[in-house]
Amino acid sequence: MAETRRYGAVLRAWFRETLPAAGNARRLGVLTLIQSLGLGVFLTSSAVFFTRTIGIPAQRVGLALSVAGLCGLLCTVPIGRLADRLGAGRVLTANFLLAAVGFTAYCLVDGFAAFLAVACAIAVLETSAGALQASLTDALVGEAERVRVSAQMRSLFNLGFLGGAALAGAAIAAGTSTALYATVLANAALQLVSVAVLLGMRLPAGAGPRAIAAAPAAEAPGGVLRSAALRDVRYVVVALVCGALELYHPLLTVGLPLWIVTATDAPALLVSGLLILDTVLVLLFQVTVSKGARTPAGAARMLRWAGWALGASCLVFAVSGGHGALLDSAALLGGALVLVLGELYQASASWGLSFGLAPAGRQGEYQAVFSLGRGFQQFAGPWLMTSLVVGAAGTGWLVLAALFALLGLAAPPLVRGLEKARARTEPAPA
């Protein structure tokens, strides 16, 4: 009985830590759950939907999605600047409304040209949504809570994504076009639900009674298409370093599965097992780990730890090939545990740096620029992992380990240099 009470107390403490506080923070959490549920449903079933239901050949699907990803990267910064002029909530509301139209349009596609057009539009909306939500989080919860709330939202995102993936799995198992069309339309409907949640959010006390969706932020100079943040070279370098450390994502979803099935004696079932383990551990510990990243200096140190942890995980993975199912599985499990530690550090550091290093009133633009680093790993990561992990085997793991460690070591001096440069150029307070 005492043991049960102790476990119950631990569970209640975790819920208090992970569940956002009542008000706008909790509404942001609900928004994250809705969006991640839709993303889980769509991403899990989209490949089957595109190839079997719409009838687009797999190679052309890959080409279209690569072109769409490039479109998303090119449009993210202008959309971020637009959010600084009109308000992140207003632009995000339009984003979700257009996404509902876009996902519905997938059900009307009957050829490659139409598929490419819809995919590009969806990619622009999805790529910019992350920066818009980050800017909105800063406006709603303020400097003191924005890193913590971002960590809570990441935990909730994993929870929603798992639920969405399970629903998509049921649709795929049904094997009918109707079930797959239903997954796409469900995601479109969830975009409209997100709009309703957004319209219920309000600015903090003292900032005015109007809905956040209609509240403009400070206007950035130079027009929507000219970005001062892109000319802030030190900030861009920090963003690229942070984004390059996010290569753990294609490592986990592309490199490691290929390594398991081609170079180890571990069962193929371990591929999904490690992904589930990673998702659950992030859900449990992201909020706790994020406490050390609430200042740029703390976030920079955490980014260094992320590089070391990710590098160490690669060294563990390197010894997992050809030693029998039991030993290989044990090495893969150990490497995955170290990798998730680096993932937790990197995600926490990215919030502390992207928020803390952005000038006041320019969160939309600077968050968009920071997301370009993430776009780098999305674009180059799958190719890099297949080249190093599969093509170069043990040597590839060593190269990855060195890359992660060097990126982590570079982070603190880069951040210190950026802060010193800002101190020299910004006017002293009256």
Side-chain angles (χ1 to χ4, degrees):
M1 181 65 76
E3 194 75 13
T4 302
R5 285 198 296 269
R6 184 159 62 249
Y7 284 132
V10 170
L11 187 61
R12 287 192 296 272
W14 178 82
F15 270 112
R16 285 195 300 269
E17 189 81 1
T18 305
L19 187 66
N24 282 329
R26 187 162 298 174
R27 293 187 183 97
L28 286 169
V30 172
L31 181 67
T32 299
L33 271 175
I34 294 167
Q35 284 290 304
S36 61
L37 182 65
L39 193 63
V41 168
F42 181 71
L43 286 185
T44 306
S45 60
S46 60
V48 179
F49 175 76
F50 294 152
T51 55
R52 295 184 186 175
T53 304
I54 299 180
I56 309 295
Q59 295 84 352
R60 304 196 84 183
V61 168
L63 173 63
L65 295 181
S66 294
V67 173
L70 182 60
C71 289
L73 284 178
L74 293 175
C75 295
T76 295
V77 175
I79 292 174
R81 288 182 63 78
L82 186 65
D84 285 336
R85 296 169 70 93
L86 302 179
R90 175 180 288 173
V91 178
L92 191 58
T93 300
N95 182 299
F96 290 153
L97 287 171
L98 291 173
V101 175
F103 284 113
T104 304
Y106 267 137
C107 298
L108 305 175
V109 165
D110 58 359
F112 179 74
F115 172 70
L116 177 61
V118 176
C120 288
I122 292 291
V124 169
L125 297 170
E126 288 188 333
T127 306
S128 61
L132 292 173
Q133 287 183 253
S135 180
L136 181 63
T137 300
D138 176 73
L140 287 171
V141 303
E143 182 178 345
E145 288 295 312
R146 59 194 180 187
V147 171
R148 173 185 172 84
V149 171
S150 296
Q152 291 170 330
M153 288 195 293
R154 187 165 192 250
S155 292
L156 293 173
F157 180 92
N158 279 17
L159 182 62
F161 192 90
L162 280 176
L167 292 173
I172 294 172
T176 65
S177 296
T178 300
L180 290 169
Y181 276 119
T183 62
V184 179
L185 292 175
N187 196 14
L190 287 170
Q191 305 306 312
L192 298 178
V193 176
S194 297
V195 170
V197 174
L198 266 178
L199 294 177
M201 295 181 185
R202 298 281 167 174
L203 284 170
R210 299 172 64 195
I212 186 64
E219 182 173 339
V224 170
L225 297 179
R226 295 182 58 194
S227 173
L230 284 175
R231 297 193 297 273
D232 192 341
V233 177
R234 294 176 187 270
Y235 184 86
V236 172
V237 171
V238 171
L240 290 175
V241 167
C242 197
L245 281 170
E246 204 170 322
L247 283 168
Y248 68 79
H249 190 271
L251 172 60
L252 187 64
T253 58
V254 178
L256 195 57
L258 291 174
W259 173 258
I260 290 173
V261 299
T262 62
T264 77
D265 298 321
L269 184 63
L270 199 60
V271 171
S272 59
L274 293 180
L275 285 171
I276 292 171
L277 175 67
D278 177 88
T279 302
V280 171
L281 290 177
V282 170
L283 175 65
L284 292 175
F285 297 110
Q286 185 67 78
V287 177
T288 301
V289 172
S290 70
K291 293 178 181 178
R294 295 177 182 175
T295 64
R301 287 192 298 270
M302 194 165 283
L303 207 59
R304 180 177 59 199
W305 301 341
W308 291 350
L310 292 171
S313 74
C314 292
L315 296 178
V316 178
F317 289 137
V319 302
S320 65
H323 304 295
L326 183 61
L327 289 178
D328 282 357
S329 298
L332 289 166
L333 177 61
L337 291 174
V338 181
L339 183 143
V340 77
L341 183 62
E343 177 182 351
L344 292 168
Y345 285 149
Q346 190 279 337
S348 301
S350 68
W351 299 317
L353 294 173
S354 63
F355 284 128
L357 297 177
R362 307 276 295 283
Q363 284 290 340
E365 177 185 358
Y366 272 75
Q367 291 292 341
V369 169
F370 203 87
S371 71
L372 296 180
R374 183 175 301 110
F376 163 77
Q377 66 85 8
Q378 292 172 339
F379 181 75
W383 170 82
L384 191 63
M385 292 305 151
T386 53
S387 300
L388 291 178
V389 173
V390 180
T395 304
W397 284 118
L398 297 180
V399 171
L400 274 178
L403 175 64
F404 281 132
L406 290 174
L407 288 169
L409 285 172
L414 286 173
V415 172
R416 285 196 298 269
L418 174 57
E419 291 189 303
K420 288 179 181 177
R422 290 270 177 84
R424 287 195 299 268
T425 58
E426 290 179 356

